[in-house]
Short mmCIF file of all heavy atoms in Angstrom, two decimals:
data_model
loop_
_atom_site.label_atom_id
_atom_site.label_comp_id
_atom_site.label_asym_id
_atom_site.label_seq_id
_atom_site.Cartn_x
_atom_site.Cartn_y
_atom_site.Cartn_z
N ILE J 1 34.52 0.65 12.87
CA ILE J 1 35.19 0.17 11.67
C ILE J 1 35.07 -1.35 11.49
O ILE J 1 34.66 -1.80 10.39
CB ILE J 1 36.73 0.43 11.92
CG1 ILE J 1 36.99 2.02 12.06
CG2 ILE J 1 37.59 -0.22 10.80
CD1 ILE J 1 38.28 2.26 12.68
N MET J 2 35.23 -2.16 12.60
CA MET J 2 35.12 -3.56 12.46
C MET J 2 33.80 -4.17 12.22
O MET J 2 33.68 -5.37 11.79
CB MET J 2 35.85 -4.29 13.63
CG MET J 2 37.32 -4.07 13.75
SD MET J 2 38.14 -5.07 14.86
CE MET J 2 37.43 -4.56 16.44
N ALA J 3 32.72 -3.46 12.65
CA ALA J 3 31.43 -4.05 12.46
C ALA J 3 30.91 -3.85 11.04
O ALA J 3 29.97 -4.52 10.66
CB ALA J 3 30.54 -3.37 13.52
N HIS J 4 31.23 -2.82 10.35
CA HIS J 4 30.71 -2.50 9.12
C HIS J 4 31.56 -2.52 7.76
O HIS J 4 30.99 -2.60 6.76
CB HIS J 4 30.02 -1.09 9.29
CG HIS J 4 29.03 -0.92 10.29
ND1 HIS J 4 28.04 -1.82 10.63
CD2 HIS J 4 28.94 0.10 11.25
CE1 HIS J 4 27.29 -1.34 11.61
NE2 HIS J 4 27.81 -0.26 12.05
N SER J 5 32.81 -2.30 7.98
CA SER J 5 33.60 -1.98 6.80
C SER J 5 33.96 -3.20 5.97
O SER J 5 33.71 -4.34 6.31
CB SER J 5 34.95 -1.30 7.28
OG SER J 5 34.59 -0.17 8.03
N ASP J 6 34.43 -2.98 4.81
CA ASP J 6 34.77 -4.07 3.87
C ASP J 6 36.08 -3.92 3.18
O ASP J 6 36.87 -3.09 3.59
CB ASP J 6 33.60 -4.23 2.92
CG ASP J 6 33.49 -2.85 1.98
OD1 ASP J 6 34.46 -2.15 1.80
OD2 ASP J 6 32.29 -2.67 1.50
N ASN J 7 36.36 -4.66 2.06
CA ASN J 7 37.66 -4.68 1.55
C ASN J 7 37.84 -3.41 0.68
O ASN J 7 38.99 -3.19 0.16
CB ASN J 7 37.89 -5.92 0.54
CG ASN J 7 38.10 -7.17 1.48
OD1 ASN J 7 38.66 -7.09 2.62
ND2 ASN J 7 37.76 -8.29 0.88
N ASN J 8 36.84 -2.63 0.39
CA ASN J 8 36.97 -1.32 -0.28
C ASN J 8 37.24 -0.22 0.79
O ASN J 8 37.59 0.86 0.27
CB ASN J 8 35.73 -1.03 -1.04
CG ASN J 8 35.53 -1.91 -2.20
OD1 ASN J 8 36.48 -2.27 -2.94
ND2 ASN J 8 34.30 -2.44 -2.34
N GLY J 9 37.19 -0.55 1.98
CA GLY J 9 37.36 0.56 2.99
C GLY J 9 36.22 0.64 4.12
O GLY J 9 35.53 -0.25 4.40
N LEU J 10 36.16 1.91 4.50
CA LEU J 10 35.20 2.21 5.66
C LEU J 10 33.79 2.17 5.10
O LEU J 10 33.51 2.51 3.95
CB LEU J 10 35.45 3.53 6.21
CG LEU J 10 36.75 3.83 7.00
CD1 LEU J 10 36.75 5.37 7.44
CD2 LEU J 10 36.76 3.06 8.13
N VAL J 11 32.80 1.70 5.89
CA VAL J 11 31.37 1.92 5.59
C VAL J 11 30.92 2.64 6.90
O VAL J 11 30.87 2.11 7.93
CB VAL J 11 30.69 0.52 5.33
CG1 VAL J 11 29.25 0.70 5.25
CG2 VAL J 11 31.22 -0.23 4.29
N LEU J 12 30.61 3.85 6.66
CA LEU J 12 30.21 4.72 7.82
C LEU J 12 28.64 4.93 7.69
O LEU J 12 28.14 5.27 6.73
CB LEU J 12 30.84 6.04 7.82
CG LEU J 12 32.31 6.07 7.95
CD1 LEU J 12 32.93 7.50 7.84
CD2 LEU J 12 32.76 5.56 9.26
N PRO J 13 28.00 4.68 9.01
CA PRO J 13 26.57 5.13 9.01
C PRO J 13 26.48 6.67 8.80
O PRO J 13 27.26 7.46 9.28
CB PRO J 13 26.21 4.75 10.49
CG PRO J 13 27.29 3.83 10.99
CD PRO J 13 28.50 4.31 10.16
N PRO J 14 25.49 7.10 7.99
CA PRO J 14 25.41 8.48 7.64
C PRO J 14 25.41 9.51 8.92
O PRO J 14 25.95 10.59 8.80
CB PRO J 14 24.01 8.58 6.85
CG PRO J 14 23.93 7.29 6.22
CD PRO J 14 24.57 6.21 7.39
N LYS J 15 24.80 9.08 9.97
CA LYS J 15 24.62 9.94 11.07
C LYS J 15 26.15 10.25 11.73
O LYS J 15 26.20 11.26 12.48
CB LYS J 15 23.83 9.30 12.19
CG LYS J 15 22.40 9.20 11.98
CD LYS J 15 21.56 8.79 13.08
CE LYS J 15 20.06 8.93 12.80
NZ LYS J 15 19.34 8.40 14.12
N LEU J 16 27.11 9.36 11.45
CA LEU J 16 28.48 9.64 12.02
C LEU J 16 29.43 9.95 10.87
O LEU J 16 30.65 10.17 11.25
CB LEU J 16 28.86 8.49 12.83
CG LEU J 16 28.27 8.08 14.02
CD1 LEU J 16 28.80 7.02 14.68
CD2 LEU J 16 28.07 9.27 15.00
N ALA J 17 29.07 10.03 9.68
CA ALA J 17 29.99 10.38 8.56
C ALA J 17 30.37 11.90 8.55
O ALA J 17 29.42 12.68 8.53
CB ALA J 17 29.39 9.93 7.28
N PRO J 18 31.60 12.20 8.62
CA PRO J 18 32.06 13.64 8.57
C PRO J 18 31.63 14.19 7.17
O PRO J 18 31.21 15.49 7.06
CB PRO J 18 33.53 13.58 8.56
CG PRO J 18 33.83 12.31 9.29
CD PRO J 18 32.78 11.36 8.86
N ILE J 19 31.67 13.50 6.16
CA ILE J 19 31.13 13.87 4.76
C ILE J 19 29.97 12.92 4.48
O ILE J 19 30.29 11.76 4.25
CB ILE J 19 32.26 13.98 3.65
CG1 ILE J 19 33.49 14.68 4.10
CG2 ILE J 19 31.74 14.32 2.32
CD1 ILE J 19 34.75 14.44 3.24
N GLN J 20 28.91 13.47 4.29
CA GLN J 20 27.74 12.49 4.04
C GLN J 20 27.52 12.40 2.47
O GLN J 20 27.11 11.38 1.99
CB GLN J 20 26.43 13.04 4.64
CG GLN J 20 26.46 12.99 6.12
CD GLN J 20 25.29 13.58 6.82
OE1 GLN J 20 25.05 14.74 6.46
NE2 GLN J 20 24.70 12.89 7.63
N VAL J 21 27.84 13.38 1.66
CA VAL J 21 27.67 13.41 0.29
C VAL J 21 29.05 14.04 -0.41
O VAL J 21 29.32 15.14 0.17
CB VAL J 21 26.44 14.26 -0.29
CG1 VAL J 21 26.32 13.98 -1.68
CG2 VAL J 21 25.17 13.81 0.65
N VAL J 22 29.61 13.36 -1.33
CA VAL J 22 30.64 13.99 -2.07
C VAL J 22 30.14 14.21 -3.45
O VAL J 22 29.53 13.25 -4.10
CB VAL J 22 32.00 13.25 -1.97
CG1 VAL J 22 31.87 11.89 -2.63
CG2 VAL J 22 33.10 13.98 -2.60
N LEU J 23 30.47 15.26 -4.07
CA LEU J 23 30.17 15.67 -5.42
C LEU J 23 31.41 15.76 -6.28
O LEU J 23 32.34 16.57 -5.88
CB LEU J 23 29.33 16.82 -5.62
CG LEU J 23 28.02 16.91 -5.07
CD1 LEU J 23 28.06 17.46 -3.54
CD2 LEU J 23 26.97 17.64 -5.75
N ILE J 24 31.49 14.99 -7.37
CA ILE J 24 32.69 14.97 -8.26
C ILE J 24 32.34 15.31 -9.70
O ILE J 24 31.49 14.70 -10.28
CB ILE J 24 33.39 13.63 -8.19
CG1 ILE J 24 33.71 13.17 -6.75
CG2 ILE J 24 34.59 13.44 -9.12
CD1 ILE J 24 34.09 11.84 -6.51
N PRO J 25 32.98 16.41 -10.20
CA PRO J 25 32.77 16.70 -11.58
C PRO J 25 33.81 15.98 -12.50
O PRO J 25 34.84 15.55 -12.03
CB PRO J 25 33.30 18.27 -11.64
CG PRO J 25 34.32 18.31 -10.52
CD PRO J 25 33.88 17.38 -9.54
N ILE J 26 33.11 15.53 -13.67
CA ILE J 26 33.94 14.75 -14.65
C ILE J 26 33.88 15.68 -15.89
O ILE J 26 32.85 16.02 -16.31
CB ILE J 26 33.23 13.39 -14.88
CG1 ILE J 26 33.16 12.51 -13.68
CG2 ILE J 26 33.99 12.63 -15.99
CD1 ILE J 26 32.41 11.31 -13.75
N TYR J 27 35.10 15.96 -16.34
CA TYR J 27 35.35 17.02 -17.38
C TYR J 27 36.53 16.90 -18.09
O TYR J 27 37.42 16.27 -17.78
CB TYR J 27 35.16 18.42 -16.59
CG TYR J 27 36.40 18.53 -15.70
CD1 TYR J 27 37.64 19.18 -16.21
CD2 TYR J 27 36.41 18.08 -14.43
CE1 TYR J 27 38.77 19.19 -15.41
CE2 TYR J 27 37.48 18.20 -13.61
CZ TYR J 27 38.67 18.75 -14.04
OH TYR J 27 39.69 18.85 -13.22
N LYS J 28 36.39 17.71 -19.31
CA LYS J 28 37.61 17.85 -20.07
C LYS J 28 37.82 19.42 -20.24
O LYS J 28 36.85 19.90 -20.92
CB LYS J 28 37.59 17.15 -21.45
CG LYS J 28 37.66 15.60 -21.33
CD LYS J 28 37.62 14.99 -22.67
CE LYS J 28 37.67 13.37 -22.55
NZ LYS J 28 37.37 12.79 -23.92
N GLY J 29 38.93 19.93 -19.79
CA GLY J 29 39.00 21.31 -20.08
C GLY J 29 38.32 22.21 -19.02
O GLY J 29 37.49 21.92 -18.29
#
């Protein structure tokens, strides 16, 4: 946490990230 993170939150190395990619739909209806 303390070596990499910033004011927006955690910065996780991909090898240790529980979720490596999140997909978000943007829609109406």
Side-chain angles (χ1 to χ4, degrees):
I1 297 159
M2 291 196 295
H4 304 312
S5 302
D6 60 27
N7 286 331
N8 294 314
L10 296 175
V11 175
L12 295 178
K15 286 186 177 183
L16 295 178
I19 305 165
Q20 293 172 311
V21 187
V22 64
L23 296 94
I24 298 172
I26 301 172
Y27 60 93
K28 289 180 181 176

